[in-house]
Amino acid sequence: MARKRRSRNNNGQQQQQAAQNPRRVPRKALREPAPFAQSTSSEAEVSTEKLTIARARRGTPAHRPVRVYADGIFDLFHSGHARALMQAKNVFPNTYLIVGVCSDELTHKYKGFTVMSEDERYDALRHCRYVDEVVRDAPWTLTPEFLKLHKIDFVAHDDIPYTSAGSEDVYKHIKEAGMFVATERTEGISTSDLITRIVRNYDIYVRRNLQRGYTARELNVGFINENKYRLQNQVDKVKETVRTVEEKSKSFVCKVEEKSQDLIHKWEEKSREFIGNFLELFGPDGAWHAIQERSGRMLQVLSPYSSPRGSPSSSPTRRRSTSPGSSPSLSHSSSLSAPSSLSAPSSPSASSRKKGTRSSIKSASTYARHGQ
């Protein structure tokens, strides 16, 4: 129960705040376009009370909105038009915006030819979110009868004097009556600017529409220009194809370069690894030299000291036979005189010693070979 009472109190406070400040009232979603103004307005719906700008800015009751009128051609309806209408809609807290659209006849007479027809321009304004009502075939110059018919309180337009129809400013009498509220123009965009862009790039847009299926007759293009534009389209297609091929080839070359760089980096890493392993094995401090040194030491240990063959100076027999007092001739004769002792067969123990020595030498040599 307490929650329900609080919610009721909150709803009552919100309603009071909304009545005091209508700007805070949430707007419902727009589901339908704005209606067209009727030829006869019902006088009972709107009060005829005259409002001042100060009174309108303070806010009016919900049943008495401030009726603001904004008129124009609105050809090629763009964001500049929408921004001007947004300012007119928000100039007062409680505003009912009426938008007048001039007909083709008046526009062609006083301003020039339009791109959109009057029906298209009417319909474009109906679908603007800020518009509450649309007046078709609006007058070029506002008259008191027109203002009274639609019960207009204020007229919104930019403050720049609008020279037209033989008048220096068609809104001069509205400003003097105190019914004028100024809006600001949006720089950089206007209907004339959009038409200028199209005229400046005429060939581009003609070629664009030819590509989209429009005929030369619909575009008011002659036979020669039609063929020229079609040829230009073909040339552009070829250029685009060449550009696509160039981009693909560049991307392919970049991929190949990346892969080649990766391969080069991998090859460098593998080569460094191979060289390092080779140096560890065959370098001056490597395992191979250690194996050779060990095998050499084992050979020295296993094999007795013996002089190389064919060097008689280092023979033990020669050392024994040569004495300090004997002559070379005597030693030579003694060696020749004892052939029987040299050629005598050796004892079994001596032969076994020789065999053992030979077998040890063979085993050492095979060990060295396996080490290599």
Side-chain angles (χ1 to χ4, degrees), residues 161-199:
Y162 194 85
T163 304
S164 180
S167 174
E168 295 181 357
D169 188 2
V170 294
Y171 298 103
K172 182 178 180 180
H173 63 289
I174 303 294
K175 295 176 181 178
E176 292 175 351
M179 298 175 61
F180 186 84
V181 289
T183 59
E184 294 182 1
R185 295 176 62 88
T186 302
E187 297 297 333
I189 186 169
S190 66
T191 302
S192 300
D193 292 337
L194 296 178
I195 295 174
T196 301
R197 296 179 197 177
I198 297 172
V199 173

Side-chain angles (χ1 to χ4, degrees), residues 340-351:
S340 59
S341 62
L342 294 173
S343 60
S346 60
S347 62
S349 61
S351 62

Side-chain angles (χ1 to χ4, degrees), residues 23-196:
R23 182 176 293 183
R24 295 182 182 179
V25 178
R27 294 185 59 187
K28 296 182 180 180
L30 299 178
R31 300 181 183 273
E32 296 179 358
F36 288 120
Q38 302 298 325
S39 57
T40 57
S41 179
S42 58
E43 298 180 358
E45 294 180 358
V46 181
S47 174
T48 58
E49 178 187 359
K50 181 67 175 177
L51 293 176
T52 63
I53 293 180
R55 175 72 179 84
R57 291 189 187 280
R58 285 196 301 267
T60 57
H63 66 277
R64 175 59 174 95
V66 181
R67 297 174 66 85
V68 178
Y69 177 81
D71 60 353
I73 310 300
F74 302 105
D75 191 20
L76 297 177
F77 189 81
H78 51 76
S79 61
H81 295 143
R83 287 176 180 273
L85 297 177
M86 179 185 68
Q87 295 176 53
K89 178 67 175 179
N90 295 314
V91 68
F92 301 116
N94 185 17
T95 302
Y96 184 84
L97 182 60
I98 307 168
V99 178
V101 184
C102 299
S103 64
D104 287 344
E105 182 180 359
L106 283 177
T107 305
H108 298 168
K109 179 180 179 181
Y110 293 111
K111 191 168 184 178
F113 192 76
T114 59
V115 177
M116 300 171 65
S117 65
E118 60 183 30
D119 292 331
E120 293 171 341
R121 293 184 283 115
Y122 297 155
D123 197 53
L125 265 298
R126 291 185 66 197
H127 291 84
C128 179
R129 61 182 299 184
Y130 307 111
V131 179
D132 297 308
E133 185 179 327
V134 175
V135 178
R136 294 173 290 188
D137 193 12
W140 197 262
T141 303
L142 300 178
T143 61
E145 293 77 15
F146 179 83
L147 298 175
K148 183 178 180 181
L149 175 65
H150 294 280
K151 299 178 177 56
I152 296 171
D153 295 314
F154 299 99
V155 177
H157 199 272
D158 62 82
D159 201 13
I160 302 173
Y162 194 85
T163 304
S164 180
S167 174
E168 295 181 357
D169 188 2
V170 294
Y171 298 103
K172 182 178 180 180
H173 63 289
I174 303 294
K175 295 176 181 178
E176 292 175 351
M179 298 175 61
F180 186 84
V181 289
T183 59
E184 294 182 1
R185 295 176 62 88
T186 302
E187 297 297 333
I189 186 169
S190 66
T191 302
S192 300
D193 292 337
L194 296 178
I195 295 174
T196 301

